[in-house]
Each structure stands twice: as structure tokens, then as C-alpha cells.
Amino acid sequence: MQIKLGETKGVTIVTIEGEINLESSPQLRKAFDDLLKKGTQKIMLDFQKISYIDSSGLATCVELFQRLQDKSGKLCLVQLPVKVRNVFEVTRLDKLFPIYNSQEEAFVNF
Amino acid sequence: MPLPFSLSSLSVRRRLVRWASLGILLTAVLALALFQPFDYQENTSLDLRFRWRALQPVNKHIIVIEVDDPTLKELGYWPLPRDFHASLVDVLTQLGAKQIFFDFIFTDSSPDDAVFAQSLTQSGRVYLPYVLAVGEGISPKRLVYSTGYVAGLRDELRQSAKGTGHINSIRDIDGKTRWVPLLIRDKVNTHPQVALKMATDYLGLPLEDVRTDGQMLVIDGKLRIPVSKGESLLVNFAGPWGKTFRHYSYVEVLKAFRDYTQGKRPPINLKGFKNAVCFIGLTATGTTDIQPVPVQNDYPLVGLHANIFNSIIQNDYVFRIDAKTNSLVILVLLVLVSVVAWRWKENPFGTLVFTGGVIGVFFTVCILVFNLGGLWVDFFYPVRLVLLTYATLTIMFFIQANKRRELVEKELSIAKNIQESFLPDPVEHVAGLQVATEMSTAKEVGGDLYDFARLEEGRLGVFIGDVSGKGVGAALVMAKTITMFRLLAEAQTSPAQLLASLNREMHKHKQRVIFVTATYLVYEAAAQTVSLSSAGHSPTLWVRAQANTVERISPKDGMPLNVFLPSVYSEEKIHLGTNDKIVLYTDGVTEARNEKGEEFGSERLEDILRATILLDAKATLQTILSALGEFSGFVPQHDDCTLIILQRI
């Protein structure tokens, strides 16, 4: 798994590539931790290059969501491949996270 | 009754014993270093250092005159008549040589002795050698004593010579000559090595005032020569034969002088003999005076004396550092390697690379200090100890880690037993349903869970869940969830309400990172209905025997437990026909992978369920399990798998 950070229009864009699983989740969690420590409020997770996400990956995203909410921050997910989107739908987590098809669409809603 | 000793004092004692034995071992190896073991290999390493050293500058006045093959060819056989020597002395004296040394033994009498003695007297600058009887096994570590002469010098010649001295040397066990005793004592006299005698005369120092402090021979309070305990000098060979000192053939010198006296132009520059110090020796093939030395395997021993002389007058020595300093070097190396091995316990390969690096750097330093300062630092014993330390520590850490792993495995197997005790007893029939269950964990313990709750009025609650993550953390949350479920199941009969209560309870504990997906259904035997709610769990499958279909039941709302508060859970209700099956599973089943990395998938599961529509719950479960096994092949299970099949009979 690879994580790239960028910022556009005041929103931190986290682009993740590869599999988010039990082994890579701690790395992702560390990246989120660092962002929260810096006081980041608006985070967009770009999942375009995600091939797989397991329950620990989901849990890591949920945790980020919860912590951001405590700080009145905002989180959204963009460009989910069909398979990954299915996982969110099955677990009903699509109702927790705002999910958009493109970054542009997400910016409108930030 | 109190124990005779406490457990902690026992472990302290064990630790003490361990440290004490380590200390004793370290002291032993360092003490051994004082005796400089493995001298044989150290000598070999010294030879390497000599061979890898650049050529050393030598005094330009030193000239070696060789009785070589051409000399013997022209002048006859060895020994040469002594009137030739007399001529050479005359020639060299006329040319202005400062000192002349014959590396030949003059023990027996010869008809030319009178002529030779006369030349010696006239010249007044010739040095002659003798060989002392010193016995077997002399070593640089002990003073050398003599019991008499092996090859003495004829009195007549001795009296005519400017000086005399011994030419004994020490041969190491490998047959090489490295050390020369500078002084050999007998009952009456102290005999100087001949080159020492020549050098002190050259420098104008008397050889009467000689003192030693075990490391230095101090002559007349001015000349300081580093020596071994036995007052032996480590010969500083300036380079291979023929590449250092000026060389001439014995016969060439005589012929050149003849040319000169006849007014011809001599082939060699005779002016170069002015102030020269000439060492005359045997180098012809087959002579016994050629022996192995560090720089070369066949080195004429006349060169040995030239090197000693050069070393003394240039004040340029090589010497072995003392055993105490060597021990200190060893201590530093061992501490360095031990500390790194300790720090990098988990990384024996890294430690190996580091140890190799330490040896490499140490080797380079050894070569460098020899090149620059003539210092001989022990190499083999320290390296041997470093490697031994590396091996010992690596094995020790490996055993330690192994013990720890065994302990963890034992703990995990205990945990597995405890976790299994949280699961319900196996049931085959309950409330008019046939039940088949299967659970297997990816690691020793897992995060899947299920339970049956026998409720009032013949109702049955079936609960299945999956904790995010795997392993011990997930197992603990599994135990907590199942316990909370049991506490709440009796009071909350509606699946939606139960999940909502469970979610609320879990939020009280404020444990993030982990969530639980779950499905809870309640079967009412009387009405033959199933009410079902889901908290983000995989859809439940309803196999309808009559209609010959498989339907997914997936209530609209319901996020995993411990994600969001408050969470709304919707409920679905179905009527179960005869032989209908309800299949509950965790995603470990549908996400099982094969060697190509493909997932088993819910379609495949549904296909099997359609194909097994006539089979009972147990047989269906077996079919799914064997299909899963066949699909996965040798790929290890990566997630926990749970399957529950209920069939109305």
C-alpha cells in the first residue's frame, strides 16, 4: 500500500494505492494520526487505486471519521472502484461516509 | 510456612551466576590474549603486512656485494681463497668505503690468512662475524644465552678486524626469520649482533652502556631500539631482495677496479663507494645462506644484517604492540560487537554484516598502522574472538526468542480454548430446525462469533458477528460482544432493538479502531417466521425449497456496531416454508482466495446453495466446505470463516 498526500482548495487529499488490509492498516492509521495532530479538518480519501479493503481497513476509516467528527471536521471518500463500493454498501457504511464519484463533485460539497 | 528462600532471590541468584560466568569467560579470553596465542597465524598476518607495505626508503650508503653465480664461475669454487677477500678489502678501502662486513665464517685456517689479516689491519674498517651456540627453541620472548661457539672466528683475523659480532637469528616454527637477538650473553661476555656493532660504531656510540626497560634497548642514553622481552629486534625488512639496497657482484667490483687502474672506464661507478657501508655475502645458487623471511621466501641472509643496520641508523623500526594493549583492543572490539548484537537482536543478518564490517575496518586499520607507523597489532586472535562472540550471542538470542515464541504459542492455545468456551454447545435440532455450524479461525484465535438464544414462547434467536481485524484483539472484542449479547438477548426480542441496544452498550466503552458487523434473527416456531436485522453484515441467504430460488435478505438500514450513535436498524420478516434454509456467514467465506488471488464470491456460494437445494442443512454445509477447500487449494486461510445453516424440517 502507498499513501500520497496533497492539498487542493484547503482540503487534504489522501490518495491510497493498493490493498488496505490488516497488515497495511496500521500504516494508514499512522498517516491519519499525523494529519489529525497537524489539526487537519477537511480530508478527502481518494480510493481510485484501491484494489481491496478489509474490515480492519474499514475500521481505520471509521475511526478517522469519528475523530474528525469530534473536532467538527469533515471527511469524504471519492472514486471508489465498484468492488470497494460494494463493501461499503454491504456494511451500510456508505451511509456514514459521504461518497462522491469525482474530486470535483466532492469539492462542491465541502 | 514460609519458603526457605523467595522466588525473586532465586532469580536474582540465577542472574548473578549468569553474569559472573560471563565475566569469568571474558577475563579468561583477555588473559589468554596476554600469552599471545595463535602466534603462528599472527606471524602469517605479519608477513602479509610486510608484503602489502610500500618499499621503505633505505640509506643510500648501504651497498650489498654478492658472491653470486658469475663470481663463482670466474673465480672458482666456494670457499673462495681469502686473498680475493684481501684484494676486495684493499679495493674498497682505496675507494673510501666507511665500513666493510663479510658475512662469511672464518673458523678454519687458510694459507692466505696472513695476507687477509694484513689487509684487515691496513683497512681498519672491516667487521667479521661468528656464530654462537644458543641451543634449540630460542624465542623473542626470552633472553638468549650462549654456551660457546658453533663457528668461531680465527684469533688472527679477530685481532685484525675493526669489530666482530654474532650473526645468530631466531627461526620461527614456520622456518622464517623475523627476529634477531641483539645481545647474546655467555658467562663472561655480552655479544652484540654484528649489525648493531657496526651501527653503533657508525653513529659513534660506545656499546658499553646498554640498558633495557623490557620494551626499549637504550644505548649510551641516546639510541633507543624497540625490542621484545628477550631483547630481540623484529627485523624491519625494507622490501624484497634487489629492490632496496644497491647491489654489485663481487667479481664485478674487482674487475671494475682493475679497469680503473689500467686507465679504462669501469662499467660501474666506483665513486659511489665513497663512504659506503658494504655488506658482502653469498647469494649464489645452492648456497645455504638463503632463507625465507616475511617479505620473500628466498632471501639472502646478508640482507638481514643490511636491514638491521639500516633500521638502526635511520631510526625506523617495526614493532609488535605489547600484550596488554592487544587485550585492550580485543575488549573494545568485543564490547562493540556485543552491544550491536544486543541492540539488533531481531536482526541477526544485520549483526553479521556489522560484524563483517568491524573485521574489515579492523583489518584496514591493522594494515594502515603497520604501513604508517610500523605497528604490528594482533589480528587473528581478536577476529577469532569477535566471530565467536557473534556466534554465541546469535545462538543465545535465537534460543531466547524460541523460548518466548513457545510461551506465546502456549498462551495462544489457552486463549483458543477459552474463546471456544464462549461459543454455544453444538446443537443439531432446535425448535423444529436442523442446525449445522462451522467456524474456523485464520490465526489461533479469531474475531468471528455466533450464538443461539432460546427465548420465551418457543422462539430461537440466532446471532452471527464478525469483529474487524484478526487475532487476539479481535478475540477479546468477540468475547465482550458475545457476553453483552447474552445479557441483552432475553430482554430485547426484536432483532432491530437488540442490535440498537448492543450498539449503545458498545459505545459506552468508547473503544475505537474496532467495529463489529452482525446479523440477528429470531425464529418463531409457531408462526414459522424469521425476523432479521443486520448491522453492516453480509446479506443472509434464504434458500426456498418450493420456489427453487436463493434470495438475499438485506434489511435497508443498519451500520456496523460501534460506528455511529444512534444507529437505526431496520427489520425484515419472512415466512419459512418446509425445507427452506437460512444461511448466515461471515465474509471470510465469500472473500476466501485461491492461488490466482480470486475471491470465492457470493455468486459461487449461491450457486452451490441452488445445487444443494434437495440436501439437508448438514450435507449442504459439507458441500460448501469442500468447495471452499478445493477453491483455496494451498492458499492459507486469511480471514476467520463462520457458516450457519438452519433448515425447517
Side-chain angles (χ1 to χ4, degrees):
Chain A
M1 186 189 68
Q2 281 189 323
I3 302 170
K4 279 180 206 145
L5 297 176
E7 200 181 310
T8 310
K9 298 177 193 170
V11 178
T12 302
I13 302 172
V14 184
T15 310
I16 311 163
E17 211 179 314
E19 283 198 9
I20 312 180
N21 52 32
L22 192 66
E23 284 71 41
S24 59
S25 284
Q27 188 195 339
L28 188 60
R29 191 159 178 253
K30 171 86 181 32
F32 289 164
D33 251 4
D34 293 344
L35 284 178
L36 289 168
K37 270 185 204 148
K38 278 198 289 184
T40 311
Q41 288 270 356
K42 293 177 180 175
I43 299 177
M44 183 194 296
L45 303 182
D46 192 325
F47 274 23
Q48 194 181 12
K49 287 169 180 170
I50 292 289
S51 54
Y52 172 80
I53 185 164
D54 77 349
S55 59
S56 31
L58 291 175
T60 309
C61 296
V62 167
E63 194 201 1
L64 175 67
F65 175 83
Q66 291 169 337
R67 292 175 68 180
L68 266 180
Q69 211 177 34
D70 291 351
K71 297 179 174 180
S72 324
K74 256 184 145 183
L75 174 72
C76 75
L77 277 46
V78 300
Q79 311 205 82
L80 277 62
V82 179
K83 229 182 92 187
V84 175
R85 188 164 187 129
N86 278 341
V87 176
F88 279 85
E89 280 167 6
V90 165
T91 53
R92 300 290 187 260
L93 288 171
D94 57 338
K95 293 188 174 126
L96 182 73
F97 301 104
I99 297 177
Y100 302 106
N101 289 324
S102 68
Q103 294 196 358
E104 289 70 30
E105 202 183 310
F107 282 127
V108 176
N109 290 286
F110 256 111
Chain B
M1 203 180 81
L3 288 164
F5 49 80
S6 72
L7 279 174
S8 67
S9 83
L10 183 71
S11 89
V12 165
R13 201 178 301 179
R14 257 166 73 179
R15 226 172 247 201
L16 219 76
V17 167
R18 206 173 288 173
W19 282 109
S21 43
L22 206 72
I24 291 169
L25 196 72
L26 191 65
T27 317
V29 295
L30 291 181
L32 192 59
L34 291 178
F35 293 100
Q36 301 187 321
F38 311 112
D39 261 1
Y40 189 85
Q41 284 102 329
E42 288 307 343
N43 283 338
T44 313
S45 83
L46 172 71
D47 298 354
L48 264 185
R49 291 175 232 217
F50 266 120
R51 282 169 200 214
W52 288 0
R53 188 167 68 150
L55 283 181
Q56 300 295 298
V58 294
N59 187 292
K60 62 180 172 35
H61 291 302
I62 299 173
I63 295 176
V64 176
I65 298 174
E66 303 181 27
V67 174
D68 51 3
D69 290 325
T71 304
L72 291 187
K73 204 174 166 191
E74 290 201 30
L75 303 182
Y77 295 100
W78 184 256
L80 290 174
R82 288 181 195 165
D83 60 348
F84 281 126
H85 298 333
S87 307
L88 187 64
V89 168
D90 295 343
V91 165
L92 292 175
T93 306
Q94 281 195 51
L95 291 175
K98 194 162 185 178
Q99 290 181 320
I100 302 163
F101 166 62
F102 281 93
D103 192 18
F104 307 137
I105 302 296
F106 301 108
T107 309
D108 50 347
S109 68
S110 139
D112 306 322
D113 276 350
V115 181
F116 188 33
Q118 197 189 348
S119 291
L120 295 181
T121 312
Q122 277 172 8
S123 168
R125 65 197 71 178
V126 181
Y127 293 80
L128 296 178
Y130 51 84
V131 181
L132 293 165
V134 290
E136 291 287 311
I138 54 167
S139 125
K141 290 175 187 172
R142 289 181 302 275
L143 289 174
V144 182
Y145 293 97
S146 151
T147 52
Y149 292 97
V150 170
L153 185 59
R154 284 187 61 75
D155 279 341
E156 188 180 3
L157 300 179
R158 178 201 306 278
Q159 282 150 16
S160 317
K162 163 89 161 103
T164 59
H166 78 78
I167 51 168
N168 291 65
S169 59
I170 295 170
R171 286 177 80 172
D172 285 321
I173 42 172
D174 58 358
K176 286 191 183 172
T177 304
R178 298 182 179 86
W179 298 87
V180 163
L182 287 182
L183 299 170
I184 296 179
R185 293 165 177 83
D186 60 21
K187 280 178 188 158
V188 190
N189 299 309
T190 299
H191 301 271
Q193 208 280 338
V194 72
L196 173 67
K197 171 72 183 149
M198 289 170 71
T200 47
D201 282 0
Y202 186 91
L203 297 170
L205 299 171
L207 244 182
E208 277 115 43
D209 176 19
V210 179
R211 275 168 294 162
T212 173
D213 63 358
Q215 288 185 7
M216 285 282 174
L217 204 67
V218 185
I219 293 160
D220 197 33
K222 287 174 195 149
L223 184 63
R224 296 170 63 81
I225 305 174
V227 287
S228 67
K229 257 191 205 156
E231 294 177 5
S232 285
L233 174 78
L234 182 62
V235 181
N236 185 5
F237 290 95
W241 184 253
K243 291 197 175 167
T244 48
F245 304 109
R246 277 194 284 158
H247 285 251
Y248 296 108
S249 166
Y250 186 101
V251 70
E252 253 179 57
V253 178
L254 289 178
K255 279 160 78 179
F257 189 74
R258 190 188 60 200
D259 291 347
Y260 169 71
T261 50
Q262 290 172 358
K264 289 187 207 158
R265 192 185 162 83
I268 53 180
N269 177 17
L270 295 176
K271 281 182 189 153
F273 284 89
K274 180 106 179 118
N275 288 327
V277 178
C278 304
F279 290 83
I280 304 152
L282 260 178
T283 62
T285 316
T287 55
T288 55
D289 230 21
I290 293 177
Q291 284 189 7
V293 297
V295 278
Q296 210 170 332
N297 283 333
D298 43 355
Y299 194 86
L301 283 188
V302 62
L304 191 71
H305 309 299
N307 276 302
I308 296 170
F309 179 86
N310 178 59
S311 190
I312 295 174
I313 62 166
Q314 304 258 89
N315 192 25
D316 181 13
Y317 302 98
V318 288
F319 53 96
R320 190 175 188 177
I321 64 165
D322 65 300
K324 275 183 212 147
T325 317
N326 267 324
S327 295
L328 195 71
V329 170
I330 291 173
L331 189 67
V332 169
L333 289 175
L334 292 193
V335 167
L336 198 66
V337 168
S338 303
V339 166
V340 169
W342 188 270
R343 280 268 172 119
W344 293 359
K345 256 189 217 184
E346 317 294 331
N347 184 1
F349 182 71
T351 316
L352 181 67
V353 170
F354 178 82
T355 308
V358 165
I359 293 173
V361 169
F362 181 54
F363 179 74
T364 314
V365 168
C366 284
I367 297 293
L368 271 182
V369 296
F370 188 77
N371 249 291
L372 302 176
L375 276 178
W376 173 14
V377 181
D378 278 11
F379 178 72
F380 272 95
Y381 188 57
V383 164
R384 217 171 278 211
L385 285 180
V386 162
L387 289 175
L388 194 71
T389 307
Y390 166 76
T392 311
L393 288 178
T394 305
I395 291 169
M396 209 173 87
F397 294 149
F398 177 75
I399 291 172
Q400 251 179 20
N402 224 20
K403 266 189 193 163
R404 260 201 302 274
R405 210 189 56 228
E406 273 170 20
L407 201 72
V408 169
E409 274 169 10
K410 210 172 116 193
E411 294 284 310
L412 276 177
S413 97
I414 294 171
K416 186 183 171 72
N417 282 336
I418 294 175
Q419 180 170 43
E420 277 166 3
S421 76
F422 274 91
L423 295 174
D425 296 330
V427 280
E428 288 190 1
H429 293 92
V430 63
L433 295 175
Q434 193 195 21
V435 181
T437 56
E438 170 68 23
M439 177 190 274
S440 68
T441 51
K443 300 184 174 178
E444 284 284 313
V445 290
D448 276 9
L449 56 104
Y450 70 91
D451 197 19
F452 300 109
R454 288 173 182 79
L455 306 169
E456 288 172 353
E457 299 162 18
R459 289 177 305 163
L460 174 74
V462 180
F463 184 61
I464 187 169
D466 181 355
V467 182
S468 64
K470 279 170 266 229
V472 177
L476 290 173
V477 174
M478 169 267 182
K480 197 165 104 178
T481 310
I482 218 164
T483 309
M484 284 193 283
F485 165 77
R486 279 171 192 169
L487 286 173
L488 296 169
E490 299 241 350
Q492 302 287 352
T493 51
S494 136
Q497 277 174 17
L498 179 111
L499 290 180
S501 306
L502 208 50
N503 186 42
R504 250 192 319 274
E505 278 302 314
M506 291 182 79
H507 268 277
K508 281 184 191 165
H509 300 279
K510 270 275 171 194
Q511 186 176 25
R512 284 172 177 178
V513 193
I514 281 178
F515 64 67
V516 182
T517 69
T519 292
Y520 183 47
L521 66 81
V522 174
Y523 172 66
E524 289 191 44
Q528 290 161 1
T529 55
V530 169
S531 315
L532 181 148
S533 287
S534 165
H537 200 76
S538 309
T540 302
L541 300 175
W542 175 20
V543 185
R544 305 182 68 173
Q546 212 70 42
N548 201 13
T549 54
V550 176
E551 288 180 25
R552 295 178 187 184
I553 315 172
S554 194
K556 200 169 120 277
D557 292 313
M559 271 189 254
L561 304 171
N562 201 30
V563 167
F564 194 72
L565 195 72
S567 199
V568 179
Y569 297 94
S570 47
E571 204 170 296
E572 278 201 30
K573 193 168 188 173
I574 58 162
H575 184 268
L576 217 54
T578 311
N579 291 330
D580 279 7
K581 284 177 245 179
I582 295 287
V583 179
L584 298 154
Y585 60 91
T586 57
D587 56 9
V589 175
T590 46
E591 289 179 8
R593 293 196 190 179
N594 66 7
E595 278 148 17
K596 290 180 205 157
E598 298 162 339
E599 283 185 1
F600 189 71
S602 49
E603 281 77 16
R604 206 182 301 259
L605 179 62
E606 286 165 27
D607 287 345
I608 296 171
L609 290 174
R610 263 188 289 275
T612 55
I613 217 148
L614 296 175
L615 300 182
D616 65 359
K618 222 169 159 180
T620 306
L621 184 87
Q622 283 311 320
T623 311
I624 296 170
L625 292 181
S626 42
L628 260 175
E630 206 173 302
F631 178 80
S632 310
F634 291 106
V635 178
Q637 187 184 341
H638 79 103
D639 197 4
D640 308 326
C641 280
T642 304
L643 252 175
I644 301 173
I645 302 181
L646 313 164
Q647 186 177 31
R648 189 191 145 197
I649 43 174

